Amino acid sequence: MNEDINKGKKEGEKPARIVTKQFPVTGMSCASCAANIQNRLSRQPGILNASVNLATESVSVEFDQSVVEPQDLKDAVTSIGYDLIIDESENAKEELENLQLLRYRSMKSRTVWSVILATPLVLISMVFMNMPYAPFIMWALATPIVFWFGRSFFINASKQILHGAASMDTLVSLSTGIAYLFSVFNTLFPSFWHNRGLHAHVYFEASGVVIALVLLGKFLEERAKANTSSAIKNLMGLQPMTVFKVLPSGEIREFLISKVKQGDIILVRPGEKVPVDGKVNEGSSFVDESMITGEPVAVLKEGGSKVFAGTVNQKGTFQFVAEKVGNETLLSSIIQYVKEAQGSRAPVQKLADRIAGIFVPVVVVISLITLAIWSVSGAENGKVQGLLSMITVLVIACPCALGLATPTAIMVGIGKGAEKNILIRDAESLELACRMDTLILDKTGTLTEGKPSVERIEWRSPGDKAGLEKVLAGLERLSEHPLAEAVVKYFEHYNSDIKFENVKSITGKGIEGFYNGRKYFAGGSRLIEENQISIVPELARLANQWEDEAKTVVFFADEKETLAVLSVFDRLRETSSGAVQRIRELGVDVRMLTGDNAKTAAAIAKKSGIANFEAMMLPSAKASYVEALQKEKKIVGMVGDGINDSQALAKADISIAMGKGSDIAIDAAKMTIISNDLSVIPDAIKLSRLTVRTIRQNLFWAFIYNIIGIPIAAGILYPLNGFLLNPMIAGAAMALSSVSVVSNSLRLKYSK
């Protein structure tokens, strides 16, 4: 989501126009590519921050629009051999998808043909090397592999070298190019070596097979990476492509969803998906909202009910007025959040990024040292073996696995979270959640349902109920007090048309009004006491009992005596106590902060199984409480839903908002529980731990692969047992390392 931030300015200066935008990047092949692009952009004037994600093939750039434009960013990236897609129109998105599809098909085709041609190369080199004209046949087979199917490696490497950059393409082009040219020389001038008592070896199979294996690895990697982003595709699939609009004439016509505007009347028939957000104005039906709420039971939608894009209509038919369309729908917001989160970078990735940035130049130096040592070693065919070892070092050292270790796990983890109704805004939160040791819960709207409801009503006598329910309902309809809504909802079956006179709302106390010459009151105990209204012992006893249970009591009375008492209570969510127990079992200390009174707080804390709680907390006090815990070196999580929680959410290490809470709370939080169900929080903690464990496994494999592989490729084992690594085997190992890292990340998709 693009975000404009107006910075403070000196007098007479224009405010800086700082925006953060995400752009697709094409042409990347490894972590070094990502590092090159990031370094190039970071050096551009007006760019505050640039973050490139290899797995999502995107870059997030924070820049000053008054200094630099998207076209400047594109020019900078293009200059080093890559491309930046800056067009954000729908047509551009379609073109990008088509481009990605064409690239995938091209890679598949190049891979297949490379493998087909590489197969006889291997056979000839291993079995039929003594056949007539074998070197020339191998030359003919290797040439199209190297210069046609593998041409992108050489093109990209040359562009990057011109700008002082290096990447995997540099390693591949150097290794295969040297092997190819060396083999061509030996094929044309074998006497050069024969005259020196040496055999004129050719290594066409090394150049051809290495490129074939690298292409195969990249192809498999692309397939695997496509699976990591399946969460996005699944979310996008929830929105229908077309809608049925009801025109002013009453005619019903089908339109593309892009043609829907605010205020349009949309028809939804049985079994269809709701296309955009809106409000029902005609008809009724049950709608499956499990993608938002997580609840399997369909919800009744009738006049005035809100409906959301992606939810599924059941058997009824209804019409609704479109209120939020395009990128404004709840579904679009979720998709955008997931995209941004998958493109974000985890702190653990910083080490990998630093290494990737210097990795290629270091490997090139190591390969040259390897050549030099072999050349002066005195070993038989030392120079030839040195050349071969240099090529092997260049091939095996590809940093692809290093670059994919973190982002692929993050992508899958965030996608898995979305499936579980956990909307994760950035990678840092996902990583940090595994270390959380203290979780603070708000009460109202978090532990509780957030909507007070009438639990019970007791009348002075049964005769009062029959005659006065309409009066009570009609009087409360005129009240602006939040508790009045609960009473009105309780009596919603009454369509009361009672006319009151001299209605007076008394702030903090209740409401009074005249009906048929009789004065009625509805409100708290203070209203009853100040008007000296009597109450029968049984109703007084019930009122005291309910207050002791932390319930709010509403009195309904006339001028003489109390006619009824109502118990109003913000119920504990059914899943709250179970969720608290599961969180505690994960080793997290659970606490509660609330602005409510101590008695109510104690009652809710007891029912939830929370020992530590604080009541009468102002928003600033909640934030201070979080800060105090952080000073004790605790990793603090905060869960809230209201504006009053936003300060504490912003201060917390891990901030979690309830999906149906205030927009301010959701904006302040790094995670959002779409379903409003606290039971997904332990799932989020488990997911974080699994993701971080997967990242560590990936990084371990990526590091250990290079630590072990490069020395072996250089020939460190040769003095011990005469073992030298073949470049073809090195190419296969390099491809396997990338695929293994991505595959390990994909295991997260199937975790419970």
Side-chain angles (χ1 to χ4, degrees), residues 695-747:
I695 289 171
R696 287 170 179 166
Q697 290 169 349
N698 288 348
L699 286 173
F700 172 80
W701 169 247
F703 281 122
I704 205 72
Y705 161 79
N706 281 298
I707 290 170
I708 296 174
I710 291 175
I712 292 175
I716 196 171
L717 296 178
Y718 185 78
L720 301 174
N721 55 17
F723 177 80
L724 281 173
L725 190 64
N726 190 290
M728 290 185 292
I729 306 298
M734 183 269 291
L736 180 63
S737 69
S738 297
V739 174
S740 63
V741 162
V742 178
S743 300
N744 189 47
S745 296
L746 284 171
R747 291 192 306 115

Side-chain angles (χ1 to χ4, degrees), residues 538-726:
E538 179 58 24
L539 293 185
R541 185 190 65 78
L542 272 176
N544 290 331
Q545 179 187 323
W546 290 343
E547 286 177 348
D548 289 339
E549 294 173 355
K551 298 171 183 177
T552 302
V553 179
V554 176
F555 296 84
F556 175 55
D558 59 15
E559 290 179 282
K560 297 179 180 179
E561 58 185 331
T562 302
L563 304 172
V565 290
L566 296 84
S567 167
V568 182
F569 192 58
D570 184 9
R571 292 189 181 91
L572 189 72
R573 296 185 190 273
E574 292 182 1
T575 56
S576 291
S577 57
V580 169
Q581 179 62 27
R582 287 178 61 201
I583 295 167
R584 290 175 61 192
E585 288 172 356
L586 292 170
V588 179
D589 178 25
V590 183
R591 307 187 182 198
M592 184 185 78
L593 300 182
T594 179
D596 211 337
N597 63 76
K599 188 180 287 185
T600 303
I604 293 296
K606 185 178 180 181
K607 286 186 176 182
S608 305
I610 297 174
N612 296 318
F613 68 91
E614 296 288 340
M616 306 292 288
M617 297 284 282
L618 294 172
S620 57
K622 289 184 179 181
S624 298
Y625 189 90
V626 171
E627 195 170 7
L629 289 172
Q630 290 171 329
K631 286 180 179 177
E632 296 176 14
K633 305 300 181 183
K634 295 184 181 294
I635 306 297
V636 183
M638 173 73 194
V639 186
D641 76 316
I643 295 173
N644 62 323
D645 301 317
S646 57
Q647 284 181 258
L649 286 168
K651 182 68 69 175
D653 299 297
I654 304 100
S655 49
I656 306 170
M658 306 299 282
K660 292 184 179 178
S662 73
D663 290 342
I664 293 175
I666 291 170
D667 287 343
K670 295 297 181 66
M671 294 186 187
T672 301
I673 301 172
I674 304 171
S675 62
N676 269 16
D677 185 355
L678 281 179
S679 64
V680 302
I681 289 180
D683 292 336
I685 297 171
K686 287 182 180 178
L687 179 63
S688 171
R689 293 177 180 181
L690 280 170
T691 303
V692 170
R693 187 168 67 195
T694 302
I695 289 171
R696 287 170 179 166
Q697 290 169 349
N698 288 348
L699 286 173
F700 172 80
W701 169 247
F703 281 122
I704 205 72
Y705 161 79
N706 281 298
I707 290 170
I708 296 174
I710 291 175
I712 292 175
I716 196 171
L717 296 178
Y718 185 78
L720 301 174
N721 55 17
F723 177 80
L724 281 173
L725 190 64
N726 190 290

Side-chain angles (χ1 to χ4, degrees), residues 40-41 44 68-86 163:
R40 182 70 175 176
L41 288 172
Q44 292 292 112
V68 64
E69 296 180 352
Q71 184 61 47
D72 300 322
L73 307 180
K74 180 181 177 71
D75 293 342
V77 173
T78 306
S79 69
I80 55 172
Y82 310 97
D83 196 12
L84 196 71
I85 310 300
I86 60 174
H163 291 86

Side-chain angles (χ1 to χ4, degrees), residues 55-112:
T56 59
E57 295 185 316
S58 64
V59 57
S60 178
V61 189
E62 185 182 6
F63 62 100
D64 188 342
Q65 292 186 114
S66 62
V67 178
V68 64
E69 296 180 352
Q71 184 61 47
D72 300 322
L73 307 180
K74 180 181 177 71
D75 293 342
V77 173
T78 306
S79 69
I80 55 172
Y82 310 97
D83 196 12
L84 196 71
I85 310 300
I86 60 174
D87 191 346
E88 298 177 87
S89 67
E90 287 298 322
N91 288 337
K93 291 178 183 177
E94 289 181 13
E95 288 178 10
L96 178 62
E97 289 176 1
N98 291 333
L99 180 65
Q100 290 171 336
L101 182 61
L102 287 171
R103 189 183 69 179
Y104 178 80
R105 288 174 176 172
S106 172
M107 181 174 288
K108 183 178 180 179
S109 175
R110 287 187 292 133
T111 301
V112 170

Side-chain angles (χ1 to χ4, degrees), residues 35 72 85 120 174 193 228 267-268 271 284 336 358 376 444 527 604 616 664 704:
D72 300 322
I85 310 300
L174 276 175
W193 299 104
T228 64
L267 175 69
V268 183
S284 64
Q336 186 62 26
I358 60 171
V376 299
T444 306
L527 185 67
I604 293 296
M616 306 292 288
I664 293 175
I704 205 72

